Amino acid sequence: MQWVKVLGGVVGAAALLGLGIIVGHFAIPKGADSPAPSASASQDLDLKILQTVMEQLDANRIRENLRELSKEPHLATSPRDEALVQLLLQRWQDPESGLDSARTTEYEVLLSFPSGEQPNRVDVVNSTGAVLFSCRQSEENVTGEQGGPDVVPPYAAYAPPGTPQGPLVYANQGSEEDFKELQKEEVKLQDSIVLTRYGGVGRGAKAVNAAKYGVAGVLVYTDPKDINDGKSLPNETFPHSWCLPPSGVERGSYFEYFGDPLTPYLPATPSSFRLNSDNASGFPPIPIQPIGFEDAQVLLCNLGGKLAPANWQGGLGCDYNLGPGFRSNGIFPEDGQVNVSVHNRLELRNSSNVLGIIRGAVEPDRYVLYGNHRDSWVHGAVDPSTGTAVLLELSRVLGTLLKKGTWRPRRSIVFASWGAEEFGLIGSTEFTEEFFSKLQERAVAYINVDISVFANATLRVQGTPPIQSVVFSAAKQISAPGSSGLSIYDNWIRYYNRSSSVYGLVPSVGTLGAGSDYAPFIHFLGISSMDIAYTYDRSKTSARIYPTYHTAFDTFDYVDKFLDPGFSSHQAVARTAGSVLLRLSDSLFLPLNVSDYSETLRSFLQAAENLLLEQHNISFGPLVTAVEKFEGAATSFNQRIATLQEGTPDPLQVRMINDQLMLLERTFLNSQAFPEERYYSHVLWAPRTGSVATFPGLSNAYSQAENTGHEPAAWAEVQRQLSIVVAALEGAAATLRPVADL
């Protein structure tokens, strides 16, 4: 009979879950470094322990961590980077404040470096090849920290070598639309060198877009209008303010994807198959080189041709023209050309991740991960060392409690220091590839704290909707820095807020793109993820990021003097991230609210309903039904949790509920949804190129179909993407129903 089969399934599932908990509990080695408090299956968040952690997180210790971490440049795989690996191991193996265990994992990955023998150059030359002007090859040594052999010269990582030469053209931000505008203005692009500014599109996309129009080489600079609120004079910039000095150059990776370029979807271990670098995709197709805005000013302010559009103008104190070539009354001859000499080289290097582990007392087979990358372009005080400084202080406080035997989390905590992030999230991606199955089965959530302090105004959080509630709970209990008397939550809501149909006015939680190490966890593995930082007041600056980003001016003194004097914002981030970590690792029921996905789904549905699909015989009915199913399942699921919380729930019931909470995010993965994208499989958070703010696959397919007219194949892809979303939502609803409800 059917009810007998269901009952048998429930009993079997309960037995297996019980065995899992028992095995997990006794998997903690008897020889663990410290005794654990007596653990019970009902262990829940201890508010006294939480308060102790909040009190012991020390701003001065974070400051000293940052001083040590940023005192020397630590480019990925450099000797200083490896020295920091040993520092982390030493801290996490300390007998008084260390963790249960610490180890490294090493990957052999393809990185890109400028040649030491042939520096990259940018020159203006005349018709005979004589050099008339040369851009700086290094930044001005204004504090004594911008020189030295360990400061890597400005370069575009993974840009191919070459020596293109041609007339100069200004292409704004180098977007597809910018090149179309130049084409409309009949500006000759074939065999030219284009000058672009950072922003608008990704670094590598500037070269990809340019190559489509026959451009020979690309220059990139940071415009003071975009980063300095227009300030450009030496006495207006660092070390006199937080603004970028005129010689400052943003380094960065120009690789299109993330992870090791030669081992996509495979960990870069010795046994893995590797592509030939000549066959690997994602590298810029033409040479590209970054320069400072003082050199860009010389080039742009002498450019001829038509006046650039108003929204292409910048902060260099002159009119920006389009080119090609130089103006007749400038300092260069009209037929002067720009020569770009790039001599980058590709190298296989060994890069290390460092993992520090605290074993859970009740559910050691459930992992809460907390990570940040370690490598930087130069000193990297802000990026990434503000995050690593917080990581070390939080792990010290928890490690001290652990070694004293007064605390052990319910679930395991994994601290991670990722290697080679700046080259394309390499360390974290290789980790997710190597431990794909284990992490998908056991990882509860991933907390990323990369740049912990951009500035000192307010909290900024990005994440998937279910993490909103735990972040809000943490932020409400912690005082904001300064004398306002507000909580971090109340201060946050003053700067960034939205109107929620459920909660009223709440802080805005941003979405996760691919800007840091959370990317492989959310997009590839479907693990609930978040990124936590303190940031600036947007009403006081239009800077797209902190001004010295990826330059040799990102130093300890820059942070200490301009970003966070006193390090109270660092402490605030440590407390917020630490509270979230403890709530996720210690709470009986995981503090993830699945109903918070409903607002996102409703918003996406309403936007999708504005698409004109009915005229192509595509019905929205299944999507509407799928959203309603999810909402109903989420409401019922939360009611079941509330009922269990009123009593003394059976450990097996708790385990089943928590597994449903943990696995919900995975139900939104579809490996076939975006075949043209690498690693992106989350149907809600993949990159959206379409203009409609709805489900990304649907938005992208609709935009493509609109551009191709009535081509049946394009509209068939719209139908396919709609079906993918419906299937994902129905799968998510099914995951939230009672386990016995098959």
Side-chain angles (χ1 to χ4, degrees):
M1 295 175 63
Q2 190 63 36
W3 67 269
V4 174
K5 293 180 183 178
V6 172
L7 180 60
V10 173
V11 172
L16 287 172
L17 284 165
L19 180 61
I21 292 175
I22 293 167
V23 170
H25 178 66
F26 289 102
I28 302 173
K30 298 297 182 284
D33 296 336
S34 61
S38 56
S40 72
S42 61
Q43 178 180 330
D44 206 346
L45 177 67
D46 187 329
L47 295 179
K48 290 183 179 179
I49 290 290
L50 178 60
Q51 184 59 33
T52 297
V53 171
M54 297 298 101
E55 291 170 355
Q56 292 184 1
L57 290 167
D58 190 322
N60 287 327
R61 285 181 180 269
I62 298 173
R63 183 176 184 270
E64 291 311 307
N65 286 342
L66 185 65
R67 187 195 300 275
E68 175 64 25
L69 291 164
S70 61
K71 71 179 182 181
E72 297 176 38
H74 45 287
L75 188 66
T77 73
S78 68
R80 179 59 181 171
D81 181 37
E82 291 307 308
L84 292 182
V85 168
Q86 297 306 312
L87 183 148
L88 282 149
L89 286 174
Q90 177 188 354
R91 296 283 185 95
W92 289 347
Q93 293 171 345
D94 186 277
E96 295 183 355
S97 60
L99 312 179
D100 285 325
S101 63
R103 61 185 175 90
T104 62
T105 57
E106 196 170 86
Y107 302 100
E108 188 178 36
V109 299
L110 188 73
L111 304 183
S112 167
F113 301 98
S115 169
E117 298 74 37
Q118 287 183 289
N120 295 348
R121 295 179 58 93
V122 177
D123 301 310
V124 177
V125 298
N126 65 16
S127 58
T128 66
V131 174
L132 306 176
F133 171 79
S134 296
C135 293
R136 298 183 66 104
Q137 294 178 349
S138 61
E139 291 152 305
E140 184 180 358
N141 194 2
V142 299
T143 66
E145 299 163 291
Q146 289 74 43
D150 296 332
V151 175
V152 67
Y155 77 113
Y158 298 108
T163 56
Q165 180 174 308
L168 187 66
V169 171
Y170 173 52
N172 192 32
Q173 295 178 326
S175 68
E176 183 75 35
E177 292 73 22
D178 291 336
F179 283 104
K180 287 179 179 177
E181 177 68 19
L182 288 169
Q183 197 174 47
K184 188 181 78 172
E185 294 293 332
E186 299 182 341
V187 175
K188 186 175 183 292
L189 290 167
Q190 186 68 37
D191 299 324
S192 68
I193 303 297
V194 299
L195 176 62
T196 64
R197 58 209 266 187
Y198 276 116
V201 296
R203 300 184 192 101
K206 298 176 191 296
V208 172
N209 294 335
K212 294 176 185 176
Y213 292 85
V215 170
V218 179
L219 301 177
V220 192
Y221 80 100
T222 302
D223 198 283
K225 179 182 178 181
D226 302 327
I227 204 77
N228 281 355
D229 297 312
K231 294 182 176 65
S232 60
L233 300 176
N235 64 356
E236 296 177 317
T237 60
F238 182 75
H240 306 288
S241 77
W242 85 320
C243 294
L244 179 68
S247 67
V249 183
E250 179 183 322
R251 299 149 179 82
S253 173
Y254 285 68
F255 182 53
E256 182 179 354
Y257 306 115
F258 47 88
D260 172 46
L262 301 186
T263 58
Y265 295 103
L266 295 171
T269 54
S271 63
S272 285
F273 168 78
R274 281 175 168 76
L275 299 170
N276 185 300
S277 60
D278 293 336
N279 299 327
S281 60
F283 299 140
I286 54 178
I288 185 166
Q289 174 68 18
I291 61 174
F293 69 74
E294 70 175 358
D295 289 327
Q297 182 179 42
V298 175
L299 300 176
L300 258 177
C301 293
N302 285 282
L303 199 59
K306 297 179 181 178
L307 183 68
N311 60 348
W312 288 29
Q313 300 297 319
L316 294 178
C318 64
D319 288 335
Y320 292 11
N321 295 327
L322 298 177
F326 297 105
R327 57 188 173 88
S328 59
N329 58 344
I331 64 173
F332 302 127
E334 290 183 68
D335 62 350
Q337 296 192 340
V338 173
N339 179 277
V340 181
S341 298
V342 174
H343 303 287
N344 298 343
R345 64 183 189 272
L346 297 172
E347 289 187 26
L348 281 173
R349 293 279 190 94
N350 291 324
S351 179
S352 300
N353 292 336
V354 189
L355 303 176
I357 299 164
I358 301 176
R359 299 180 193 90
V362 181
E363 299 180 79
D365 59 334
R366 291 293 177 262
Y367 314 144
V368 181
L369 297 107
Y370 180 117
N372 175 41
H373 72 98
R374 180 184 63 258
D375 63 305
S376 65
W377 286 111
V378 194
H379 293 84
V382 182
D383 182 10
S385 299
T386 55
T388 308
V390 166
L391 168 68
L392 286 172
E393 174 61 2
L394 180 56
S395 61
R396 179 195 68 83
V397 171
L398 295 181
T400 300
L401 292 174
L402 183 73
K403 293 300 185 183
K404 287 180 178 178
T406 57
W407 167 82
R408 182 175 288 280
R410 178 184 180 89
R411 302 175 187 90
S412 294
I413 294 173
V414 180
F415 289 110
S417 172
W418 310 118
E421 185 267 1
E422 295 292 8
F423 288 84
L425 319 182
I426 288 178
S428 55
T429 302
E430 300 313 301
F431 176 78
T432 58
E433 289 170 334
E434 182 171 14
F435 301 105
F436 179 89
S437 296
K438 179 184 284 190
L439 292 169
Q440 277 213 320
E441 292 168 0
R442 305 179 186 179
V444 169
Y446 175 67
I447 302 168
N448 195 68
V449 182
D450 183 340
I451 299 172
S452 71
V453 176
F454 291 86
N456 58 5
T458 180
L459 190 69
R460 186 215 71 180
V461 178
Q462 299 166 294
T464 50
I467 64 92
Q468 173 180 275
S469 59
V470 65
V471 173
F472 285 180
S473 295
K476 287 175 180 178
Q477 301 301 315
I478 304 167
S479 296
S483 57
S484 69
L486 298 174
S487 67
I488 285 178
Y489 178 92
D490 290 329
N491 183 64
W492 182 11
I493 211 170
R494 293 166 59 200
Y495 291 95
Y496 299 99
N497 59 66
R498 68 179 181 89
S499 179
S500 164
S501 59
V502 178
Y503 306 109
L505 195 68
V506 295
S508 296
V509 174
T511 58
L512 295 171
S516 190
D517 290 299
Y518 49 74
F521 288 93
I522 180 60
H523 297 301
F524 184 42
L525 296 184
I527 293 169
S528 293
S529 301
M530 70 197 81
D531 185 76
I532 300 174
Y534 238 70
T535 192
Y536 28 75
D537 180 352
R538 279 292 184 190
S539 69
K540 294 182 178 179
T541 179
S542 61
R544 61 182 178 85
I545 197 167
Y546 72 95
T548 64
Y549 175 68
H550 286 189
T551 74
F553 305 105
D554 181 355
T555 62
F556 173 79
D557 285 342
Y558 181 78
V559 178
D560 197 36
K561 187 175 180 181
F562 297 112
L563 291 197
D564 190 24
F567 279 67
S568 59
S569 295
H570 284 77
Q571 185 182 50
V573 172
R575 286 172 170 168
T576 304
S579 179
V580 170
L581 177 64
L582 282 173
R583 291 167 190 272
L584 287 167
S585 62
D586 277 1
S587 297
L588 180 63
F589 289 98
L590 287 173
L592 301 172
N593 189 348
V594 297
S595 285
D596 285 341
Y597 246 128
S598 296
E599 278 193 273
T600 297
L601 298 179
R602 273 287 158 189
S603 171
F604 282 4
L605 175 61
Q606 288 170 2
E609 287 176 331
N610 293 324
L611 305 178
L612 304 176
L613 298 188
E614 283 77 8
Q615 61 184 331
H616 296 280
N617 297 317
I618 300 175
S619 171
F620 272 116
L623 181 59
V624 173
T625 301
V627 170
E628 291 172 348
K629 282 182 181 178
F630 178 87
E631 291 172 334
T635 300
S636 297
F637 181 77
N638 285 340
Q639 290 170 347
R640 292 202 305 279
I641 294 176
T643 300
L644 289 173
Q645 287 174 326
E646 290 173 358
T648 305
D650 184 280
L652 300 181
Q653 293 175 309
V654 174
R655 178 75 166 199
M656 286 190 282
I657 288 289
N658 284 337
D659 279 358
Q660 288 172 285
L661 286 164
M662 178 182 74
L663 295 173
L664 173 66
E665 205 74 58
R666 320 286 202 267
T667 64
F668 295 116
L669 299 183
N670 186 314
S671 61
Q672 301 304 310
F674 312 103
E676 73 286 355
E677 300 281 0
R678 188 177 295 180
Y679 296 109
Y680 289 103
S681 55
H682 200 298
V683 303
L684 303 183
W685 306 121
R688 180 172 57 81
T689 57
S691 60
V692 182
T694 185
F695 304 97
L698 181 60
S699 178
N700 299 347
Y702 180 81
S703 177
Q704 184 68 23
E706 284 281 281
N707 291 335
T708 56
H710 297 283
E711 189 174 321
W715 291 103
E717 177 62 15
V718 175
Q719 179 70 72
R720 188 180 83 92
Q721 289 294 337
L722 186 63
S723 296
I724 286 171
V725 171
V726 169
L729 294 179
E730 289 180 341
T735 295
L736 295 179
R737 295 191 188 102
V739 173
D741 183 1
L742 300 180

